Amino acid sequence: MDKSPEVLLELVERLGNLLRAEFRRAGADEQLQPVHVHALVYLTRANRYSNTPQAMAEYLGLTKGTMSQSLLLLDRRGLIERYQDDLDRRVVRLRLSTSGEQFLYDAQPQSAWQHATRNISPNRIRNAVSALRETLTTFQSDNDGQPFGTCNGCRHFERLSARAYRCGLMGDRLSGPEARKICWLYEEKGGGVEEDEE
Amino acid sequence: MDKSPEVLLELVERLGNLLRAEFRRAGADEQLQPVHVHALVYLTRANRYSNTPQAMAEYLGLTKGTMSQSLLLLDRRGLIERYQDDLDRRVVRLRLSTSGEQFLYDAQPQSAWQHATRNISPNRIRNAVSALRETLTTFQSDNDGQPFGTCNGCRHFERLSARAYRCGLMGDRLSGPEARKICWLYEEKGGGVEEDEE
DNA sequence: AAAAAATAGTTTCGAGTCGATACTTTGCAA
DNA sequence: TTGCAAAGTATCGACTCGAAACTATTTTTT
């Protein structure tokens, strides 16, 4: 009987807690809750399709009502800016304000973690990443949640030339940096579960 | 420049969120918050030195005041029992009640996760476990938090015979199952780092 | 084109989290 | 004995969070 999956669960749980505590510490000066810090971090990593309240709520596992509250607070504190989408006027777009960027720069909510992996060889880290990534994918398809991946590996990702990319779903051209950001339209490429188009 | 540590951070963060959402779902029927479910799960895994409010607060990253509130709620709902320690009457001991055990049995807060690792080879899981465990240890010693490990690997662990163990710090004999539970007196045993196979 | 349904987001409500602070009881050491 | 540290509890206020009702747009149906 192998207990490894349980142990892995426990480690992820435990590290998740510590990360949360770290976010709490990082936000303490500004009176921010962990979820607020997490929201700001998310904004630095979300691509142009994913900088909306809804995508953020999915990502953080909250309802849209709850999300709305947190965004209200971040807006009041001047850490984010909200503006309307040109094409669909129901949609609100989000971005970090200058002081939001400054806050993340000062608080460095992720540095303690980065530091904690310093003794582990890149190869072991890559192995761990691959195992966890697969777990995440399985977990998400089991619970049919939004996927949230980056472009490489996405079914809609098209390479036009050496440096030019394109999202086949939205039809937009993408810059290299943008192709590395988080997208909530992500869909697993090949071999996966068929989508029912009805 | 290798981005793997960042990616690992993001995966742990993301899986931690999903786990939290899973705990939320598991507790929804009984109107329990994620932290309550987590507390109950902790109790099933804590050894005899670690079933106190203080250890639990350390584990969950809360203050003792906050912990006291949650325990009050769990007690009111009849999911845990609190009793006094014989030797030190300031200390409160905690255990799951029968309905607490029943709740965990019914809600299965961890089964979705267990299921999500089904396609990953035991060997890859073990490698991931080893990398995360090391990250956890480094993180904890960086932030001088309580360690929380299990007996094997602990500096105080002594093997009396094939099936008999002893904690050198507390001087108690330990059963095999108990030696596999979580202990907040855990201290790292000096030792080498193993490289991945494969 | 008008009506209906769906979608993005906001508001309101109530129970609960959470840290800070002050407090009680118990243990321990000078 | 006196003082102080430790384990836990109680209280307060700002905030989280889901649920449900609501507004404003867009899309679909008729």
Side-chain angles (χ1 to χ4, degrees):
Chain A
M1 173 178 62
D2 190 0
K3 296 265 190 187
S4 294
E6 288 176 44
V7 175
L8 189 58
L9 165 71
E10 189 165 312
L11 280 167
V12 170
E13 212 170 58
R14 191 99 193 84
L15 284 167
N17 264 347
L18 289 173
L19 245 34
R20 199 179 169 73
E22 194 60 21
F23 277 7
R24 195 181 291 286
R25 185 199 57 69
D29 282 354
E30 295 276 351
Q31 310 259 56
L32 296 176
Q33 301 288 322
V35 72
H36 300 149
V37 177
H38 207 158
L40 295 176
V41 170
Y42 173 78
L43 277 187
T44 66
R45 327 199 57 172
N47 75 1
R48 75 174 84 165
Y49 308 131
S50 311
N51 59 352
T52 67
Q54 185 168 34
M56 206 169 190
E58 294 261 6
Y59 188 86
L60 298 176
L62 308 176
T63 61
K64 56 184 183 171
T66 300
M67 197 69 254
S68 191
Q69 288 310 300
S70 292
L71 292 173
L72 195 65
L73 181 148
L74 291 172
D75 197 0
R76 272 202 308 262
R77 305 276 182 90
L79 295 166
I80 62 170
E81 287 163 10
R82 297 198 274 190
Y83 56 100
Q84 241 179 12
D85 186 88
D86 292 333
L87 298 174
D88 187 336
R89 289 193 303 169
R90 292 170 304 182
V91 172
V92 170
R93 299 273 161 198
L94 305 166
R95 75 160 83 92
L96 282 178
S97 69
T98 314
S99 39
E101 284 169 1
Q102 186 62 44
F103 165 76
L104 286 182
Y105 182 82
D106 292 341
Q108 293 285 353
Q110 292 151 312
S111 66
W113 163 279
Q114 306 281 1
H115 205 53
T117 57
R118 65 187 176 279
N119 292 328
I120 306 183
S121 78
N123 202 37
R124 288 178 74 204
I125 293 186
R126 272 193 294 273
N127 285 337
V129 164
S130 120
L132 289 186
R133 198 198 297 280
E134 198 171 326
T135 304
L136 179 59
T137 303
T138 308
F139 196 106
Q140 283 173 332
S141 73
D142 284 357
N143 302 282
D144 53 38
Q146 285 298 334
F148 283 103
T150 52
C151 292
N152 42 348
C154 175
R155 142 183 324 175
H156 304 298
F157 190 51
E158 298 167 10
R159 165 163 295 190
L160 298 180
S161 71
R163 290 251 174 90
Y165 313 103
R166 181 170 174 279
C167 174
L169 182 64
M170 300 303 282
D172 290 321
R173 303 192 73 178
L174 301 171
S175 69
E178 178 141 53
R180 264 176 249 117
K181 291 193 168 184
I182 295 175
C183 184
W184 77 319
L185 304 173
Y186 174 87
E187 281 181 53
E188 190 80 0
K189 189 163 48 182
V193 186
E194 310 302 322
E195 291 298 320
D196 48 336
E197 287 300 323
E198 199 231 334
Chain B
M1 174 178 61
D2 190 2
K3 296 264 191 189
S4 294
E6 287 176 44
V7 176
L8 189 59
L9 165 71
E10 189 166 311
L11 281 167
V12 169
E13 214 170 57
R14 191 99 194 85
L15 284 167
N17 264 348
L18 289 172
L19 245 34
R20 198 178 170 74
E22 193 61 21
F23 277 8
R24 195 180 291 285
R25 186 200 57 70
D29 283 355
E30 295 276 351
Q31 311 257 58
L32 297 177
Q33 302 285 325
V35 70
H36 300 149
V37 177
H38 208 158
L40 295 176
V41 170
Y42 173 78
L43 276 186
T44 67
R45 320 224 31 199
N47 74 0
R48 76 176 81 166
Y49 308 131
S50 312
N51 60 351
T52 66
Q54 184 167 35
M56 206 168 190
E58 294 262 6
Y59 186 86
L60 298 176
L62 308 176
T63 61
K64 57 183 184 172
T66 300
M67 197 69 255
S68 192
Q69 289 311 298
S70 293
L71 292 172
L72 196 64
L73 182 149
L74 290 172
D75 198 0
R76 274 201 307 264
R77 304 278 182 91
L79 295 166
I80 61 169
E81 288 163 11
R82 298 198 273 189
Y83 56 100
Q84 241 179 13
D85 186 87
D86 291 335
L87 298 174
D88 187 335
R89 288 192 304 169
R90 292 172 304 182
V91 173
V92 171
R93 299 274 161 195
L94 306 166
R95 74 161 82 93
L96 283 177
S97 69
T98 313
S99 39
E101 285 170 2
Q102 186 63 44
F103 165 76
L104 286 182
Y105 182 82
D106 293 341
Q108 293 285 353
Q110 291 151 312
S111 65
W113 164 278
Q114 307 282 1
H115 205 51
T117 57
R118 65 186 176 279
N119 292 329
I120 305 182
S121 78
N123 202 38
R124 287 178 72 205
I125 293 186
R126 272 194 294 273
N127 285 338
V129 163
S130 124
L132 290 186
R133 198 198 298 280
E134 197 171 328
T135 304
L136 178 58
T137 303
T138 308
F139 197 106
Q140 284 172 332
S141 74
D142 283 359
N143 302 283
D144 55 37
Q146 284 299 333
F148 281 104
T150 52
C151 292
N152 41 347
C154 176
R155 145 182 322 175
H156 304 298
F157 190 51
E158 299 168 10
R159 167 163 294 189
L160 299 179
S161 70
R163 291 251 175 88
Y165 313 104
R166 181 170 174 278
C167 174
L169 182 62
M170 300 303 283
D172 290 321
R173 304 192 69 179
L174 301 170
S175 70
E178 179 143 51
R180 265 176 248 119
K181 292 193 166 182
I182 294 175
C183 185
W184 77 318
L185 304 174
Y186 175 86
E187 283 181 53
E188 188 80 359
K189 187 164 51 181
V193 182
E194 72 262 43
E195 231 354 274
D196 272 9
E197 322 131 45
E198 199 173 356

